[in-house]
């Protein structure tokens, strides 16, 4: 009979030799990602053979990089008051990011090279961590690479050239810094993401349970400083930039809440679709719904974070905050789901840690399986004849993911964070 010491030694040898098998939960996510991608191709082909319009067969139809290049003409007026008549509906730092990309002279090429370097670094980093956990080199490479290549939100993000890519980079690097113990650096990165598109500001909440007040203050100061500096650079004065940016941002929000289209139902997973539908049926002007909606969202976040998540593991806090961030905006298209890759990576390492310790974490496997349909094409869940649309289905899946984060403590991440 093997002694505990000999068992521990054999386990250490397996880790060193890369002989640790991939946990079943990760294998299910891996296979599910491939199946979902295959179904997207198959369904598209069948619809094409049946004579459906091309837009119903290929969810990546449309003008490539349109989100990236749409503002090129108006940026010739940058630094003048006329620039703000171009409806660049981004906070100041977001508008500056566009200027930087355009300033390279090759915006599409610069964007694609940024994406390639970012994804390569991400896959390599996950591969290294998997190998450190004892997973073989081939599996450690193919697992993250497959999940990335099969991710429809990522493909849609790159096809459109949306600057959510840079928001994602800042937010994910902030999460990486936070798990490495660099709270101030994480706060700066999250604040820069928030200065580009506001809603990542919720990541700063992660600093509060550990009483990292200084880092929190650094984050707030960075958000304010980056916004003011961006307005000063955009010009022609801070006052003009402030009024113009605010008018464009709020104007877009006001217009977005009134839009009803099949594209919105299919691609927009915002929970706002529920009060929007109710208000429309009741004859209530949608412009009167937005502020109460955001107020209710704030109440839910305060209750969830301070009432449920405060003493839960950081994996739960990160997952819940990220899901809330992509659920709350009145318009939140499928490509914003790339933000879920960071909490998924954390749960992957929680799974590895639990497997090594022989611990079963309730709810973890089911929670991870929710990522599979969320990373799949929204067209797989769109059936207009019965009023079922992909955006609505993924909204429900996100709500379930949020509930899982509040319900099941993924405790192994604390030990994992310390080990890493």
């Amino acid at each position: 009979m093997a002694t505990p010491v000999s068992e521990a030694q054999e386990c250490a040898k397996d880790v060193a030799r890369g002989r640790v098998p991939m946990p079943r939960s990760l294998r299910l996510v891996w296979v599910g990602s491939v199946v979902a991608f295959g179904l997207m191709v198959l369904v598209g082909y069948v619809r094409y053979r049946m004579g459906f319009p091309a837009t119903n067969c290929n969810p990546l139809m449309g003008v490539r990089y349109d989100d990236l290049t749409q503002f090129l003409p108006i940026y010739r007026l940058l630094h003048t008051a006329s620039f703000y008549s171009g409806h660049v509906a981004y906070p100041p730092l977001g508008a500056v990011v566009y200027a930087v990309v355009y300033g390279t002279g090759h915006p599409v090429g610069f964007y694609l090279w940024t994406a390639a370097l970012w994804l390569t670094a991400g896959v390599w980093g996950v591969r290294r961590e998997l190998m450190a956990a004892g997973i073989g080199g081939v599996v450690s490479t193919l697992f993250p690479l497959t999940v990335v290549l099969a991710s429809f939100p990522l493909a849609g993000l790159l096809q459109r050239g949306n600057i959510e890519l840079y928001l994602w980079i800042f937010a994910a690097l902030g999460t990486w810094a936070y798990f490495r113990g660099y709270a101030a650096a994480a706060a700066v990165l999250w604040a820069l993401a928030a200065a580009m598109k506001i809603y990542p500001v919720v990541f700063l909440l992660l600093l509060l349970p550990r009483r990292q007040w200084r880092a929190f203050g650094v984050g707030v100061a960075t958000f304010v400083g980056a916004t003011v500096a961006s307005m000063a650079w955009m010009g022609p004065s801070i006052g003009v930039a402030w009024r113009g940016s605010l008018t464009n941002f709020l104007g877009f929000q006001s217009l977005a809440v009134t839009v009803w289209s099949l594209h919105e139902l299919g691609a927009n997973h915002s929970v706002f679709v529920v009060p929007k539908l109710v208000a429309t049926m009741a004859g209530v002007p949608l412009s009167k719904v937005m502020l109460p909606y955001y107020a209710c969202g704030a109440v839910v976040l305060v209750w969830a974070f301070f009432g449920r998540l405060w003493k839960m593991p950081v994996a739960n806090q990160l997952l819940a905050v990220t899901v809330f961030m992509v659920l709350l905006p009145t318009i939140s298209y499928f490509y914003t789901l790339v933000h879920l890759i960071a909490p998924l990576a954390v749960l992957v390492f929680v799974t590895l840690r639990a497997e090594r310790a022989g611990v079963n974490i309730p709810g973890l496997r089911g929670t991870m399986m929710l990522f599979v349909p969320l990373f799949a094409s929204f067209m797989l869940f769109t059936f207009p004849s019965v009023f079922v649309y992909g955006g609505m289905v993924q909204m429900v899946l996100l709500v379930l993911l949020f509930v899982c984060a509040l319900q099941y403590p993924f405790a192994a991440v604390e030990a994992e964070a310390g080990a890493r």
Side-chain angles (χ1 to χ4, degrees):
M1 182 177 179
T3 66
V5 174
S6 63
E7 289 178 359
Q9 291 173 341
E10 287 301 317
C11 181
K13 289 179 181 179
D14 287 340
V15 171
R17 295 168 182 169
R19 293 180 178 177
V20 176
M22 178 75 82
R24 186 165 183 265
S25 297
L26 304 190
R27 282 185 276 124
L28 288 173
V29 171
W30 192 0
V31 172
S33 299
V34 175
V35 170
F37 181 82
L39 283 175
M40 179 185 72
V41 175
L42 177 62
V43 169
Y45 177 74
V46 170
R47 288 180 176 178
Y48 171 76
R49 298 294 297 177
M50 293 175 65
F52 280 82
T55 52
N56 291 339
C57 304
N58 182 4
L60 297 176
M61 286 289 290
V63 181
R64 286 185 299 174
Y65 317 122
D66 188 47
D67 287 359
L68 179 64
T69 59
Q70 62 179 319
F71 298 125
L72 272 170
I74 195 64
Y75 266 80
R76 298 189 182 98
L77 302 175
L78 188 62
H79 308 306
T80 72
S82 300
F83 171 76
Y84 303 99
S85 64
H87 306 295
V88 180
Y90 285 87
L93 186 58
V96 169
V97 169
Y98 266 109
V100 171
V101 177
Y102 291 161
T104 64
H106 303 280
V108 173
F110 181 81
Y111 180 90
L112 293 178
W113 270 108
T114 303
L117 291 173
W118 169 243
L119 295 174
T120 300
V123 169
W124 184 263
V126 173
R127 174 186 183 273
R128 189 175 66 175
E129 296 294 337
L130 289 173
M131 291 185 66
I135 308 296
V138 174
V139 174
S140 295
T141 302
L142 290 180
F143 173 69
L145 186 62
T146 303
V147 173
V148 165
L149 294 179
S151 170
F152 177 77
L154 176 57
L157 174 71
L158 299 180
Q159 189 270 343
R160 283 157 176 76
N162 195 279
I163 66 161
E164 194 82 24
L165 170 69
Y166 298 99
L167 189 78
W168 175 33
I169 290 173
F170 279 120
L173 284 176
T175 300
W176 176 86
Y178 183 71
F179 275 88
R180 292 302 190 273
Y182 304 115
V188 168
L189 290 162
W190 287 333
L192 291 174
M196 288 177 58
K197 221 170 180 180
I198 303 298
Y199 57 81
V201 73
V202 296
F203 281 122
L204 295 178
L205 290 175
L206 298 177
L207 301 167
L208 300 182
R210 285 148 194 85
R211 293 174 172 77
Q212 293 166 322
W213 312 118
R214 179 179 173 276
F216 184 82
V218 167
V220 172
T222 300
F223 173 77
V224 174
T227 300
V228 173
S230 297
M231 291 188 295
W233 181 81
M234 290 165 62
S237 68
I238 291 178
V240 171
W242 168 253
R243 289 188 294 271
S245 298
L246 189 63
T247 298
N248 286 338
F249 181 74
L250 294 180
F252 174 78
Q253 291 291 318
S254 299
L255 177 64
V257 300
T258 63
V259 174
W260 274 112
S261 69
L262 295 182
H263 178 68
E264 296 299 320
L265 292 173
N268 177 23
H269 52 254
S270 169
V271 76
F272 183 69
V273 72
V274 176
K276 189 175 182 179
L277 182 61
V278 172
T280 300
M281 295 174 64
V284 177
L286 293 175
S287 59
K288 295 183 177 181
V289 178
M290 188 165 62
L291 288 179
Y293 166 75
Y294 279 123
C296 291
V299 170
V300 170
L301 178 62
V302 168
W303 167 80
F305 195 84
F306 295 98
R308 294 285 301 176
L309 294 165
W310 187 264
K311 294 184 178 181
M312 294 187 81
V314 68
N316 295 75
Q317 296 169 355
L318 174 65
L319 178 59
V321 164
T322 305
V323 171
F324 182 86
M325 182 186 72
V326 300
L327 262 177
L328 183 68
T330 55
I331 295 291
S332 188
Y333 289 130
F334 59 89
Y335 49 75
T336 64
L337 295 175
V338 295
H339 291 287
L340 293 176
I341 292 177
L344 174 61
V346 171
L347 292 181
V348 165
F349 297 121
V350 171
T351 302
L352 291 171
R353 180 72 178 181
E355 185 85 0
R356 187 188 303 174
V359 175
N360 177 47
I361 301 179
L364 179 58
R365 180 176 298 171
T367 299
M368 295 190 68
M369 289 307 298
L370 287 172
F371 286 88
V372 173
L374 285 169
F375 288 163
S377 169
F378 63 87
M379 293 187 71
L380 293 179
F381 315 109
T382 298
F383 306 96
S385 59
V386 291
F387 200 74
V388 173
Y389 293 90
M392 299 169 66
V393 172
Q394 291 187 316
M395 176 199 70
V396 173
L397 293 172
L398 285 167
V399 170
L400 289 175
L401 198 58
F402 187 74
V403 171
C404 288
L406 301 183
Q407 183 67 28
Y408 303 108
F410 306 131
V413 74
E414 303 294 353
E416 185 69 8
R420 299 291 176 205

